[in-house]
Amino acid sequence: MRLRIATWNVNSVRLRAEQAARFVDEQAPDVLCMQEIKCQEGEFPREAFEAMGLNHLKIAGQKGWHGVAIASRLPIEDVPTLMNCREGHARCVAVKVAGVEIQNFYIPAGGDLPDRVANPKFDHKLDFYETLTAALKKRDPRDPLIVTGDLNIAPGENDVWSHRQMLKVVSHTPPELEAFDAMIKSMNLLDLPRLATPEPEKLFSWWSYRAADFRKSNRGLRLDHILASPGLRDAAIVDGKVSSRVHDDVREWERPSDHAPVTADLRV
């Protein structure tokens, strides 16, 4: 069976419910992991997702900010999140679908100053990564595990529009790159979108609203990730290929999120 997992920072699920329906109709994800839903659980547009066929829901909401959710076509099992946000934000939600554990995160952006002492938001971001990495180290790499979401770090030189310039900008600074690398190495996680689109091709999932034409300026970042445990290697790599892509056409839709959805297929 094909299990298609999508991750998307929707930047308000109530504003983007119609776009979510269009995306689900066109790409048929079995599981849609969302970040920045910006609503409480009771405000989530359940009926819209039930109409899409994604009627199995797990929601961690927060008034006006943050918030994550997972909508699934298939039945879900509850599983604990790998960690909880130290600030009490709704940034983590987890389920098991078709035997695959899916951990969906909205990791803090980190503010503007890449200094843990002077900028508590940056310290929060790195603390989040350190706590998550410690939790992953305790897991068996053979577990069928997906770590996904808006992880707010563009980890590679070709995941940013300018490696040299972005090294000074939060999302691609050396401490963040080290934190992301440590997380990857904690379980030898597989970066499915990058395996499907190898270096040195540029690969972005976020473009600022400031650009009148995001394609023309193309100052993008790859902030949205689907990472798989070694236990899912055979499910993710079929006949030597990984099926994963960024749906950048969604960024062209009217009143879009600044993030594009990312999908990956597993054979389970």
Side-chain angles (χ1 to χ4, degrees):
M1 183 184 78
R2 184 214 72 177
L3 181 69
R4 175 164 291 169
I5 298 169
T7 181
W8 191 7
N9 179 322
V10 292
N11 193 11
S12 178
V13 69
R14 290 175 290 180
L15 286 178
R16 305 256 145 55
E18 289 186 7
Q19 292 193 5
R22 178 179 171 184
F23 175 71
V24 168
D25 181 62
E26 292 181 0
Q27 302 301 330
D30 299 293
V31 182
L32 176 58
C33 300
M34 292 167 281
Q35 306 84 41
E36 272 202 285
I37 62 171
K38 294 184 177 178
C39 68
Q40 299 176 86
E41 182 174 349
E43 300 167 326
F44 189 91
R46 288 176 175 269
E47 291 183 359
F49 281 83
E50 289 169 357
M52 299 174 210
L54 302 179
N55 56 319
H56 302 280
L57 296 165
K58 184 75 177 288
I59 303 161
Q62 184 172 338
K63 186 176 181 180
W65 296 96
H66 316 310
V68 286
I70 299 176
S72 175
R73 194 181 310 278
L74 303 169
I76 61 177
E77 299 176 48
D78 281 339
V79 294
T81 56
L82 279 168
M83 59 163 291
N84 292 305
C85 173
R86 77 176 190 191
E87 305 295 332
H89 299 164
R91 294 184 178 273
C92 325
V93 70
V95 299
K96 183 178 285 188
V97 179
V100 178
E101 182 179 331
I102 301 171
Q103 297 274 344
N104 176 28
F105 294 100
Y106 174 46
I107 292 184
D112 297 324
L113 182 66
D115 186 311
R116 295 190 77 159
V117 176
N119 178 9
K121 292 181 178 179
F122 193 69
D123 179 69
H124 181 204
K125 181 177 191 174
L126 293 185
D127 176 78
F128 199 107
Y129 264 95
E130 289 161 358
T131 305
L132 176 56
T133 298
L136 287 168
K137 284 182 178 178
K138 297 177 182 178
R139 295 294 300 265
D140 187 335
R142 295 170 294 184
D143 290 345
L145 172 66
I146 291 287
V147 175
T148 190
D150 177 1
L151 306 188
N152 258 317
I153 291 178
E157 291 189 18
N158 294 298
D159 298 328
V160 293
W161 65 275
S162 170
H163 172 60
R164 181 180 61 82
Q165 294 183 63
M166 287 300 300
L167 280 172
K168 300 177 182 178
V169 179
V170 172
S171 70
H172 192 66
T173 64
E176 292 170 285
L177 302 187
E178 291 172 8
F180 195 94
D181 185 59
M183 180 190 66
I184 291 289
K185 289 179 178 176
S186 67
M187 277 188 79
N188 292 319
L189 295 169
L190 307 171
D191 183 346
L192 300 186
R194 187 42 93 184
L195 286 172
T197 306
E199 305 272 8
E201 185 172 339
K202 293 284 189 182
L203 189 62
F204 308 145
S205 64
W206 173 92
W207 295 262
S208 172
Y209 285 132
R210 294 173 185 166
D213 185 337
F214 83 97
R215 288 204 185 276
K216 185 175 181 180
S217 64
N218 204 29
R219 293 192 170 195
L221 306 173
R222 186 167 73 100
L223 303 178
D224 305 274
H225 300 274
I226 302 178
L227 309 171
S229 66
L232 286 172
R233 178 179 292 275
D234 290 343
I237 305 175
V238 179
D239 297 327
K241 295 181 180 180
V242 173
S243 180
S244 178
R245 59 171 287 212
V246 177
H247 298 266
D248 55 356
D249 57 305
V250 175
R251 184 64 174 78
E252 298 174 336
W253 293 356
E254 186 176 354
R255 295 185 68 200
S257 170
D258 45 358
H259 295 254
V262 182
T263 59
D265 292 351
L266 302 176
R267 186 173 63 184
V268 296

